[in-house]
Each structure stands twice: as C-alpha cells, then as structure tokens.
Amino acid sequence: MKLKGSVLVGVLSLFFSLSLNAQELFYESLSPHFAGKVNLLSYAATTLNIGGEMKLSERSSLDLSLLYNPWSFQDNKKMKHVLIQPEARYWFCETFYGSFVGVHVHYGKYNVGGIGMTDYMKEHHFDGWLVGGGVLYGYH
C-alpha cells in the first residue's frame, strides 16, 4: 500500500510539473518580442515618424523613435527637423504588459521659421540642434 501511494504521488507530481511547463512554453510563445509604432499626432503636424520597441528581457525593453519633417511652406515658412529618441523601459509585470518606468534621451536638428503661436516666433528664424532627456511612467 505504501508503494502504491508513493507511485501515485510521483505520477501526480510528474503530471502537474509537465502541465505547468507546457503552459509556460505556450504562454512564452505568445509574448511579443517586437512592436512597431507611429505617432498619428505627429503625422497631423506633417512630421513623418516611425518607431519600434524590442524586448530585451522578461521586464525590460528598448524603444527607438525617428521623426523627420522635410517640408517648407508658402512665404518661407518652415518646420524642418530630424529627431532620434532611444528609450529604455523597465516593466513591473512583464514586457509589453502593465506599468513601466523609463528614461530617454533625444537628439535632433531643426530649421524653423515663420511658424508659431507668438509674434516673436512668427517673425524669427531658428536653426540649430537640440539634445535632451527625461524620465517617464506609462501603462500599456
């Protein structure tokens, strides 16, 4: 009787460990490893953009966004720029699900003139480069 109990416990242990393992493998295969994205508000402002985010580990990802605006408008109005923004994210639950915190840096070149919400911005031309960074919190 003792031997039958030991065999039963052994078989049940094997059964549950195999089912859990199979579930983890199935779930892992559904987890995304890359996400592509665009910013529709930037497109509305005539700025072409594309971005991608890659899973680095179970709780971290790396995002890279590129923005480009080559257009000049009538009356020498322009809002030309090119911008690159890498971003590292730490996910509290798992990558691409739940809350995350992150840091980003950005670098760009711009040539803007005749466009703005103030008279000063409308009357002057700005040409140069920019660099910056920030921290963020988000939820997906």
Side-chain angles (χ1 to χ4, degrees):
M1 185 65 130
K2 194 173 189 179
L3 182 60
K4 286 184 182 181
S6 297
V7 170
L8 181 60
V9 169
V11 170
L12 288 175
S13 297
L14 182 62
F15 175 76
F16 283 116
S17 66
L18 288 177
S19 66
L20 289 175
N21 188 22
Q23 184 179 12
E24 288 175 9
L25 291 174
F26 176 72
Y27 182 72
E28 177 64 27
S29 68
L30 293 178
S31 178
H33 293 282
F34 182 81
K37 53 189 163 182
V38 297
N39 185 329
L40 294 178
L41 290 176
S42 290
Y43 277 114
T46 70
T47 298
L48 306 172
N49 66 83
I50 191 164
E53 187 170 359
M54 180 177 60
K55 179 179 180 177
L56 298 177
S57 70
E58 290 303 314
R59 292 193 176 181
S60 64
S61 64
L62 182 65
D63 177 276
L64 182 64
S65 295
L66 303 169
L67 292 90
Y68 178 61
N69 188 327
W71 320 116
S72 291
F73 305 104
Q74 294 176 347
D75 302 327
N76 201 27
K77 293 180 181 179
K78 55 180 85 174
M79 192 169 68
K80 295 182 176 186
H81 60 270
V82 60
L83 178 76
I84 184 168
Q85 179 175 311
E87 179 177 296
R89 293 181 175 176
Y90 175 80
W91 298 79
F92 292 110
C93 184
E94 66 178 285
T95 307
F96 299 119
Y97 298 103
S99 298
F100 62 87
V101 293
V103 295
H104 67 266
V105 295
H106 46 261
Y107 173 79
K109 297 186 81 133
Y110 60 88
N111 184 353
V112 179
I115 296 175
M117 297 188 321
T118 67
D119 289 337
Y120 182 81
M121 291 179 71
K122 290 178 183 175
E123 295 169 0
H124 291 85
H125 181 260
F126 306 92
D127 189 5
W129 58 274
L130 63 91
V131 64
V135 296
L136 63 122
Y137 168 81
Y139 184 85
H140 182 262

